[in-house]
């Protein structure tokens, strides 16, 4: 109920509607507010009237009305409505407050009615008054009836009354003698409000009182105050009651409107019937709106949950960011300590070298000084013979000592400058470029079930990323199991979001899943999809792998050859599991050729008879007899040949690993081949003298009982 309150308030006064009227635009307004916002249009023939038009403007606040645009009939699409006359398509003028208004309309002839003013009726409306809807800003000029030309919205008035009564103070019991308690029920027959004790004491549910109807107090108050439904009268003919509904004008009309008014030629229907019809239409429309409202409520719950998740994720992400920055700072501090240690080592090394050189030079200088002082003292001696005895040795020592102070001796072995320069530029640039990137692995893809399907022994899968995911995806990995409950294996890696997998086993159940990856790693798997391949194999001859001399027709079911040499053609499906049976009928057989029927690997030779190499297992047959052949080895000659119309059957049983041939529904010879494993294609070799047609999807012959070694065996 609280959400409905805004629907019950007038857009002009902001209070609950009082005597609401319906404007032509279907919006509502209080009757008093409608009179308050009337604007008197200027007289088109009197310039002075334009300047004086402001005197007819009420004290209504035009702060919002100044923004309204008044349109002519051509602009707004409105014509005359009840008490309205359409504004003419003439240039508009402005009132002193800036609201655009139109000159008065050309008066239209109206039937004169001499009605006495009713008590409490509205005072006369100024001539050429104009009203603007405060919601859609569309305007029209009132005719002589003024605001009486608008229908009253009695339904809205009743809803407002019930809403206000439901919000009123609690009702009190009428039978409590002291301190009346809050009423809990009202008896519609007694017209009395009761509390629970007084109801049990004064209105027991027995005897005649048992048939009285007790209702909640709020409902009882409404039923007490609600007067009998008023009968609405016509705005055109105030003495006539509304009894019909004009379908064209979509408005209730009276009998006189049909006889004399503009609705005489319009389609009309009974008011009660249209009332029920429109109630049904409104209820039906409300059902759709209710669904949208339910979706909106669920969406709001989702958004509120998102707010909570955003807050939680924001705190978590902030903590992660702080931890990452702290880790960077710790790493920088550790590197700082390492660099300082390196500087200290260099510092100690320099000091040691310089100190060693100082010590060495000090010792040498002391020795040199001592030698110099000794030589000076020797020079002072006056004994020539004694001097000459030691002079040569002293001269040699002086020269030797001088040589020891040779080049480089007095040069510092170490500079005082540190030759280390910290290259912090790249690191500073990296710090400035430090920013957020998508470093999360992709979310799990969503399989699009409506596009996933199986056909024969092929499966097509389609997927997409979740709609709200913004994480970059570099590619996808599609995995399938072996169709027998085995482990998953990769069958596709790439950027496409749809993939068809061929060559699966018939009548097998496969599990599939897909995951996405990017530079940060591999995301989670999607939900597992279970697919069932076809129980029966339907296949045709394959033009893509056939010899160029093969001629195809009948949707690749019929083949022949344009060469006299044998040419090979294979089916477009391979088999590796189960029991499979197919037939070929001979449509043309000329000059007794010997076609070969059987199975082959994918890389079988195509320009020789089937069975000539080790890639094929076949039976070749003429008009009298047949042979089995593999790797050019002929075995098991059997009487009985073929002719036009003959049928050759091929039975491949992987449960036993055997191959059997039939001619005209009879087994031809013994089991042809045994120990068959792997994947094989149906195959045939023929020349231009033979034409055959392939038949698939056949049951196995009645005489044959399949093996039970493989529970996934299938018949095609």
């Amino acid at each position: 109920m609280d959400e409905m309150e805004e629907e019950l308030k007038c857009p002009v006064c902001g209070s609950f509607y009082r005597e609401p009227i319906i404007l032509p635009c279907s919006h509502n307004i209080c009757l008093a507010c409608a009179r308050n916002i009337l604007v008197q249009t200027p007289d088109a023939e009197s310039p002075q009237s334009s300047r004086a038009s402001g005197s007819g403007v009420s004290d209504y606040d035009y702060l919002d009305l100044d923004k309204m645009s008044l349109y002519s009939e051509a602009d707004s699409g409105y014509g005359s409505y009840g008490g309205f006359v359409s504004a003419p398509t003439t240039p508009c003028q402005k009132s002193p407050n800036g609201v655009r208004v139109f000159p008065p309309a050309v008066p239209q002839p109206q039937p004169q009615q001499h009605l006495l003013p009713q008590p409490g009726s509205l005072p006369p409306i100024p001539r050429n008054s104009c009203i603007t809807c405060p919601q859609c800003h569309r305007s029209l000029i009132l005719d002589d009836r003024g605001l009486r030309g608008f229908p009253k919205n009695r339904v809205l008035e009743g809803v407002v009354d019930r809403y206000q009564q439901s919000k009123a103070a609690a009702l009190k019991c009428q039978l409590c003698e002291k301190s009346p308690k809050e009423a809990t029920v009202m008896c519609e027959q007694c017209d009395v409000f009761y509390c629970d004790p007084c109801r049990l004491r004064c209105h027991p549910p027995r005897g005649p009182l048992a048939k009285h109807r007790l209702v909640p107090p709020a409902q009882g108050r409404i039923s007490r105050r609600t007067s009998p439904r008023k009968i609405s009268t016509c705005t055109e003919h105030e003495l006539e009651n509304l009894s019909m509904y004009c379908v064209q004008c979509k408005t209730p009309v009276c009998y006189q409107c049909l006889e004399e008014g503009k609705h005489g030629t319009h389609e009309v229907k009974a008011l009660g019937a249209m009332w029920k019809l429109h109630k049904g239409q409104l209820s039906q429309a409300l059902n759709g709106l209710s669904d949208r409202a339910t979706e909106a409520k669920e969406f709001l719950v989702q958004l509120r949950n998102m707010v909570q998740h955003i807050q939680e994720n924001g705190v978590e992400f902030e903590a992660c960011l702080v931890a990452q920055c702290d880790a960077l700072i710790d790493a920088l501090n550790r590197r700082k300590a390492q660099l300082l240690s390196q500087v200290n080592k260099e510092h100690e090394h320099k000091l040691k070298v310089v100190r060693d050189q100082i010590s060495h030079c000090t010792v040498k200088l002391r020795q040199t000084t001592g030698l110099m002082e000794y030589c000076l003292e020797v020079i002072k001696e006056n004994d020539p013979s004694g001097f000459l005895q030691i002079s040569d040795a002293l001269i040699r020592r002086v020269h030797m000592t001088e040589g020891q102070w040779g080049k480089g001796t007095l040069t510092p072995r170490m500079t005082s400058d540190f030759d280390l320069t910290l290259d912090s530029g790249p690191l500073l640039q990296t710090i400035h470029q430090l920013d957020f990137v998508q470093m999360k692995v992709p979310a799990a893809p969503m399989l699009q079930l409506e596009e996933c399907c199986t056909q024969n022994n092929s499966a097509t899968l389609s997927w997409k990323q979740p709609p709200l995911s913004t994480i970059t995806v570099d590619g996808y990995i599609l995995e399938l199991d072996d169709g027998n409950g085995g482990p998953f294996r990769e069958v596709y890696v790439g950027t496409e979001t749809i993939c068809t997998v061929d060559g699966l086993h018939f009548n097998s159940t496969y599990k599939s899943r897909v995951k996405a990856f990017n530079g940060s790693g591999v995301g989670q798997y999607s939900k597992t999809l279970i697919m069932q391949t076809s129980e029966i194999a339907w296949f045709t001859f394959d033009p893509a792998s056939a010899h160029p001399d093969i001629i195809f027709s009948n949707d690749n079911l019929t083949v022949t050859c344009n060469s006299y040499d044998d040419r090979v053609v294979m089916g477009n499906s391979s088999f590796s599991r189960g029991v499979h049976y197919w037939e070929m009928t001979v449509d043309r057989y000329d000059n007794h050729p010997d076609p070969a029927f059987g199975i082959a690997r994918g890389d079988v030779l195509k320009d020789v008879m089937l069975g000539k190499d080790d890639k094929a297992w076949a039976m070749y047959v003429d008009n009298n007899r047949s042979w089995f052949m593999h790797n050019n080895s002929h075995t098991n000659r059997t009487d009985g040949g073929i002719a036009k119309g003959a049928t050759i059957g091929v039975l491949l049983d992987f449960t036993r690993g055997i191959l059997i041939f039939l001619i005209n529904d009879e087994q031809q010879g013994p089991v042809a081949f045994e120990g068959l494993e792997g994947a094989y294609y149906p195959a045939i070799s023929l020349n231009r003298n033979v034409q055959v047609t392939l038949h698939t999807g056949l049951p196995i012959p009645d005489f044959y009982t399949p093996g039970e070694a493989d529970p996934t065996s299938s018949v095609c």
Side-chain angles (χ1 to χ4, degrees):
M1 293 290 287
D2 293 336
E3 289 84 353
M4 185 181 66
E5 186 169 318
E6 292 300 321
E7 293 285 338
L8 307 181
K9 290 184 177 180
C10 175
V12 177
C13 62
S15 302
F16 288 106
Y17 284 106
R18 296 184 298 275
E19 298 183 276
I21 58 176
I22 306 175
L23 299 179
C25 55
S26 300
H27 293 132
N28 300 282
I29 191 173
C30 297
L31 182 61
C33 295
R35 182 171 182 82
N36 197 33
I37 64 173
L38 287 177
V39 177
Q40 185 176 1
T41 59
D43 190 351
E45 298 179 359
S46 175
Q48 290 78 9
S49 63
S50 175
R51 294 190 297 269
S53 61
S55 61
V57 180
S58 66
D59 295 333
Y60 175 67
D61 185 5
Y62 279 95
L63 290 178
D64 291 330
L65 261 180
D66 289 344
K67 304 175 184 178
M68 300 178 184
S69 297
L70 308 186
Y71 298 92
S72 66
E73 180 179 354
D75 293 328
S76 65
Y78 281 90
S80 61
Y81 182 94
F84 276 97
V85 176
S86 302
T89 56
T90 56
C92 66
Q93 301 177 4
K94 287 188 177 181
S95 62
N97 57 12
V99 177
R100 291 171 39 180
V101 297
F102 290 92
V106 178
Q108 298 181 357
Q110 298 286 341
Q112 295 184 357
Q113 299 179 356
H114 301 282
L115 299 175
L116 295 176
Q118 299 295 325
S121 61
L122 293 172
I125 300 298
R127 182 173 175 268
N128 297 328
S129 295
C130 176
I131 188 172
T132 299
C133 175
Q135 290 183 273
C136 65
H137 303 168
R138 294 181 178 177
S139 302
L140 287 177
I141 300 174
L142 278 66
D143 63 5
D144 293 339
R145 290 174 300 161
L147 296 177
R148 289 184 292 106
F150 291 108
K152 295 181 179 180
N153 195 338
R154 301 187 185 278
V155 174
L156 177 58
E157 190 174 7
V159 173
V160 170
D161 184 44
R162 292 196 298 272
Y163 181 81
Q164 289 179 316
Q165 291 174 358
S166 67
K167 292 293 182 179
L171 294 172
K172 301 296 182 180
C173 177
Q174 294 177 280
L175 298 182
C176 292
E177 296 180 358
K178 297 180 180 180
S179 301
K181 299 180 181 179
E182 183 177 346
T184 56
V185 294
M186 173 200 172
C187 177
E188 290 186 336
Q189 285 71 29
C190 301
D191 196 18
V192 176
F193 290 95
Y194 298 94
C195 64
D196 286 336
C198 293
R199 176 179 60 82
L200 295 175
R201 184 178 67 255
C202 304
H203 199 288
R206 60 180 179 270
L209 299 179
K211 298 182 180 180
H212 287 198
R213 184 169 181 261
L214 302 179
V215 296
Q219 182 179 346
R221 173 170 50 193
I222 294 174
S223 61
R224 170 186 282 187
R225 296 186 180 183
T226 301
S227 58
R229 188 178 66 179
K230 299 179 181 179
I231 300 178
S232 301
T233 58
C234 180
T235 56
E236 297 281 347
H237 312 94
E238 297 183 357
L239 299 180
E240 297 289 339
N241 296 332
L242 297 173
S243 58
M244 304 296 290
Y245 181 83
C246 179
V247 177
Q248 181 174 343
C249 299
K250 297 182 179 180
T251 183
V253 295
C254 67
Y255 176 77
Q256 192 170 350
C257 288
L258 301 179
E259 295 294 330
E260 303 174 0
K262 61 181 180 180
H263 304 281
T265 59
H266 295 175
E267 179 186 1
V268 295
K269 293 186 178 181
L271 190 65
M274 293 304 295
W275 173 48
K276 294 181 180 179
L277 175 62
H278 281 215
K279 272 194 172 183
Q281 292 176 350
L282 179 59
S283 299
Q284 186 176 1
L286 283 176
N287 290 334
L289 185 59
S290 176
D291 294 339
R292 301 290 84 77
T294 302
E295 293 176 1
K297 291 179 180 178
E298 295 174 353
F299 181 65
L300 285 175
V301 173
Q302 179 182 355
L303 291 180
R304 292 188 180 98
N305 292 336
M306 285 184 63
V307 170
Q308 182 178 356
H309 293 161
I310 289 173
Q311 292 175 344
E312 295 174 355
N313 293 339
V315 173
E316 180 182 355
F317 188 76
E318 183 179 349
C320 180
L321 176 62
V322 172
Q324 288 177 320
C325 291
D326 290 343
L328 292 176
I329 294 173
D330 292 341
L332 185 60
N333 287 331
R334 289 193 299 271
R335 187 57 181 166
K336 173 184 175 182
Q338 294 173 358
L339 294 175
L340 287 175
S341 176
Q342 186 176 349
V343 171
N344 290 333
K345 290 180 180 180
E346 182 69 14
H347 174 260
E348 294 297 331
H349 174 67
K350 285 180 176 291
L351 289 177
K352 183 178 182 303
V353 170
V354 173
R355 286 170 180 170
D356 289 345
Q357 191 174 14
I358 291 174
S359 177
H360 178 73
C361 288
T362 301
V363 172
K364 200 168 187 61
L365 179 60
R366 185 168 58 249
Q367 293 174 352
T368 302
T369 304
L371 180 60
M372 289 174 59
E373 292 178 354
Y374 174 69
C375 290
L376 290 175
E377 291 298 327
V378 170
I379 292 174
K380 294 178 182 179
E381 290 295 330
N382 296 322
D383 183 4
S385 60
F387 177 82
L388 291 175
Q389 287 178 342
I390 63 173
S391 60
D392 290 336
L394 288 177
I395 292 173
R396 287 194 300 270
R397 285 186 61 189
V398 169
H399 286 300
M400 185 183 299
T401 302
E402 181 182 2
Q404 291 178 353
W405 291 100
K407 185 177 181 181
T409 306
L410 300 179
T411 302
R413 299 176 185 175
M414 185 65 65
T415 63
S416 60
D417 296 331
F418 284 82
D419 296 330
L420 301 175
T421 301
L422 183 62
D423 186 12
S424 61
L427 179 59
L428 289 175
Q429 184 178 2
T430 302
I431 293 176
H432 290 309
Q433 294 176 349
L434 188 64
D435 202 350
F436 299 103
V437 294
Q438 294 289 355
M439 293 300 293
K440 292 184 178 180
V441 297
M446 299 172 56
L447 289 171
Q448 297 183 275
L449 301 181
E450 65 277 3
E451 298 183 12
C452 297
C453 62
T454 59
Q455 183 177 7
N456 221 7
N457 64 334
S458 299
T460 298
L461 295 102
S462 177
W463 59 88
K464 64 179 181 179
Q465 282 299 105
L468 297 181
S469 177
T470 58
I471 301 176
T472 303
V473 175
D474 294 338
Y476 300 93
I477 300 174
L478 175 64
E479 296 182 356
L480 268 72
D481 68 353
D482 61 355
N484 196 25
F488 282 91
R489 65 189 189 279
E490 293 182 2
V491 297
Y492 171 76
V493 178
T495 59
E496 299 295 332
T497 58
I498 186 170
C499 178
T500 298
V501 183
D502 298 320
L504 302 177
H505 299 301
F506 287 91
N507 194 27
S508 299
T509 300
Y510 284 88
K511 295 180 181 179
S512 60
R513 62 187 185 184
V514 64
K515 58 184 177 181
F517 64 89
N518 59 14
S520 300
V522 180
Q524 297 292 324
Y525 284 106
S526 66
K527 293 183 179 179
T528 301
L529 177 64
I530 300 177
M531 301 178 298
Q532 175 73 36
T533 54
S534 176
E535 181 179 358
I536 298 177
W538 300 88
F539 62 93
T540 64
F541 290 116
D542 184 17
S545 62
H547 192 278
D549 293 338
I550 297 295
I551 300 174
F552 294 85
S553 60
N554 189 24
D555 294 330
N556 298 333
L557 292 174
T558 301
V559 293
T560 185
C561 183
N562 60 8
S563 173
Y564 286 105
D565 297 323
D566 290 308
R567 300 292 185 250
V568 174
V569 57
M570 298 190 301
N572 60 0
S573 293
S574 65
F575 307 115
S576 59
R577 182 188 299 173
V579 181
H580 308 276
Y581 178 72
W582 63 95
E583 293 181 346
M584 285 163 282
T585 57
V586 180
D587 302 328
R588 180 167 51 82
Y589 187 77
D590 302 330
N591 301 325
H592 309 300
D594 46 1
F597 308 86
I599 58 176
R601 302 288 191 186
D603 55 350
V604 66
L605 296 177
K606 305 297 192 332
D607 55 357
V608 296
M609 178 184 288
L610 192 68
K612 286 285 187 179
D613 61 356
D614 62 347
K615 307 296 184 182
W617 295 256
M619 176 189 74
Y620 71 94
V621 58
D622 58 17
N623 61 322
N624 292 320
R625 52 197 172 275
S626 65
W627 293 264
F628 301 146
M629 185 167 61
H630 168 65
N631 199 17
N632 204 24
S633 174
H634 307 254
T635 60
N636 297 100
R637 171 179 170 176
T638 305
D639 292 334
I642 61 172
K644 180 180 179 181
T647 300
I648 297 88
V650 182
L651 177 61
L652 178 60
D653 185 354
F654 283 101
T655 64
R656 296 176 178 174
I658 62 174
L659 182 65
I660 298 175
F661 294 98
L662 295 86
I663 296 180
N664 296 327
D665 298 329
E666 296 291 336
Q667 182 173 339
Q668 184 73 359
V671 173
F673 302 99
E674 296 179 340
L676 298 175
E677 294 180 352
Y680 301 90
Y681 291 87
I684 179 178
S685 66
L686 72 170
N687 61 19
R688 65 183 302 167
N689 293 316
V690 182
Q691 176 176 303
V692 299
T693 298
L694 176 66
H695 304 278
T696 61
L698 303 176
I700 62 175
D702 295 336
F703 75 88
Y704 185 76
T705 301
E708 299 180 355
D710 188 351
T712 61
S713 299
S714 63
V715 178
C716 61

